[in-house]
Amino acid sequence: MLKIAFHPCYEHPLKKGHRFPMEKYDLLPKQLLHEGTCTVDNFFEPKIVAETDVLRVHTEEYFFNLRALNLPKSEVRAIGFPLSETLVNRELIITQGSIDACKYAITNGIAMNIAGGTHHAFSNRGEAFCLLNDQAVAAAYLLHHKLAKKILIVDLDVHQGNGTAEIFKHNSKVFTFSMHGEKNYPFRKEISDLDIALPNGTDDQSYLSVLKRTLPKLFKQEQPDFVFYLSGVDILVSDKLGKLSCSLAGCMERDRYVLEFFYANSIPVMCSMGGGYSPDIKTIIEAHANTFRIANNLID
Ligand SMILES: [Zn+2]
């Protein structure tokens, strides 16, 4: 069964109208339940992540200041959220959700987090709505507990996984692959193990042909035994921030290809959602729901 880490928003940390579409985290599980893709049994509620697990990836100074809501103003500005206990707690739960989802992925083939993909969080600072790097924390957890020997991170959010690249730049056990918009945030990019920068306006055909050329090669070359997939839907032509021209069908084909590829090769995949900023929330939900529909079909 597809297990999905879910984090109820008892209290919205952001006011309505904030440019970050927080409501998708409520609407997406509702949609999946409503259409029958999922039942309540698919979802699980993680607890708060242990300090030791976070500190394999983030510096003590950053983490303790974040938890104490005591970050310098400039760092809070770079994060883009007003810091609050609710927001930080939510992030601690999401991060544990990705760790738990890894264990489900090892058993079931694929598992997901209905949030996460906070790839702009660096070891010592947050940035662009990202406080803690959930997949990086989970990757370090797997290595520490010898649940994986070689990890591949497939980051297909339209923005470069700069935080993830920085965190693992000296770690040969984690291969970071980011395919992103060349002329998009972050404008000063980090160096991943493999970066593919796509020009503005890249359409389905070019996008998918690059991906389908690259993934089998990477798989052969790196021989990962665990994969993280960051399935941001900000590659859509409708996205306010994306600058690429992929369709909903193209985005779905991307997810199908990635998930099927690793599933067919018996490599567990933990998938976090990442970004999506289409003006119509329905488009965002539809694109993210596709990722869950595909995963659910595969492992059912
Ligand atoms: Zn993004």
Side-chain angles (χ1 to χ4, degrees):
M1 177 190 273
L2 181 66
K3 295 303 265 185
I4 303 168
F6 168 66
H7 329 277
C9 290
Y10 297 115
E11 178 198 332
H12 264 295
L14 293 180
K15 290 198 179 77
K16 237 185 139 77
H18 189 279
R19 65 198 166 106
F20 190 85
M22 192 61 93
E23 68 266 36
K24 75 178 182 182
Y25 301 112
D26 272 347
L27 294 173
L28 181 60
K30 280 186 189 142
Q31 173 61 33
L32 295 171
L33 289 169
H34 170 77
E35 70 188 29
T37 296
C38 296
T39 69
V40 287
D41 294 338
N42 290 101
F43 295 98
F44 69 92
E45 275 187 52
K47 300 199 162 49
I48 280 186
V49 67
E51 194 176 293
T52 44
D53 292 336
V54 174
L55 294 180
R56 282 189 202 102
V57 159
H58 293 286
T59 62
E60 286 191 4
E61 191 188 2
Y62 171 59
F63 180 57
F64 294 150
N65 282 336
L66 172 71
R67 219 174 37 181
L69 308 181
N70 195 27
L71 290 177
K73 276 203 178 97
S74 59
E75 289 189 27
V76 177
R77 257 200 311 276
I79 287 168
F81 284 142
L83 274 195
S84 69
E85 209 179 317
T86 313
L87 191 78
V88 172
N89 272 337
R90 194 173 174 278
E91 192 82 354
L92 295 171
I93 293 170
I94 289 172
T95 304
Q96 182 62 33
S98 289
I99 293 177
D100 293 342
C102 285
K103 297 181 195 165
Y104 283 120
I106 289 169
T107 318
N108 302 344
I110 303 172
M112 320 199 41
N113 195 330
I114 208 129
T118 36
H119 58 166
H120 302 308
F122 287 70
S123 56
N124 63 353
R125 65 193 166 89
E127 197 179 279
F129 313 131
C130 301
L131 307 174
L132 298 174
N133 196 315
D134 64 302
Q135 290 194 329
V137 170
Y141 180 97
L142 290 179
L143 292 172
H144 178 81
H145 290 279
K146 302 199 178 349
L147 295 169
K149 289 196 192 76
K150 181 71 194 250
I151 291 171
L152 169 63
I153 299 182
V154 178
D155 186 339
L156 300 185
D157 189 277
V158 84
H159 303 102
Q160 194 213 20
N162 55 351
T164 314
E166 182 265 336
I167 287 168
F168 292 121
K169 68 181 165 193
H170 300 304
N171 189 335
S172 59
K173 291 180 178 156
V174 181
F175 189 97
T176 53
F177 164 45
S178 176
M179 190 156 105
H180 48 260
E182 181 185 9
K183 299 261 162 56
N184 208 326
Y185 174 88
F187 296 102
R188 224 193 68 213
K189 294 183 174 49
E190 297 292 317
I191 299 170
S192 314
D193 292 306
L194 176 64
D195 285 299
I196 297 182
L198 302 168
N200 286 356
T202 297
D203 61 8
D204 288 350
Q205 209 196 350
S206 339
Y207 187 96
L208 292 168
S209 75
V210 174
L211 178 67
K212 291 179 184 182
R213 261 200 320 269
T214 307
L215 220 51
K217 229 172 17 189
L218 267 186
F219 179 59
K220 210 170 151 198
Q221 176 195 308
E222 298 304 321
Q223 302 188 355
D225 55 3
F226 196 96
V227 169
F228 286 90
Y229 177 36
L230 211 167
S231 60
V233 300
D234 41 14
I235 64 164
L236 291 179
V237 63
S238 55
D239 198 89
K240 283 185 287 190
L241 309 177
K243 299 182 185 171
L244 301 190
S245 299
C246 293
S247 68
L248 260 176
C251 189
M252 188 177 184
E253 171 60 12
R254 173 197 73 171
D255 293 343
R256 188 201 60 75
Y257 180 74
V258 173
L259 293 174
E260 261 184 34
F261 181 85
F262 292 112
Y263 191 72
N265 283 289
S266 304
I267 307 298
V269 179
M270 188 272 138
C271 175
S272 292
M273 276 173 46
Y277 313 94
S278 293
D280 185 354
I281 187 77
K282 285 195 199 121
T283 311
I284 301 178
I285 300 300
E286 182 62 13
H288 281 308
N290 282 336
T291 320
F292 291 82
R293 290 168 186 146
I294 290 163
N296 198 46
N297 273 341
L298 266 178
I299 71 171
D300 248 10

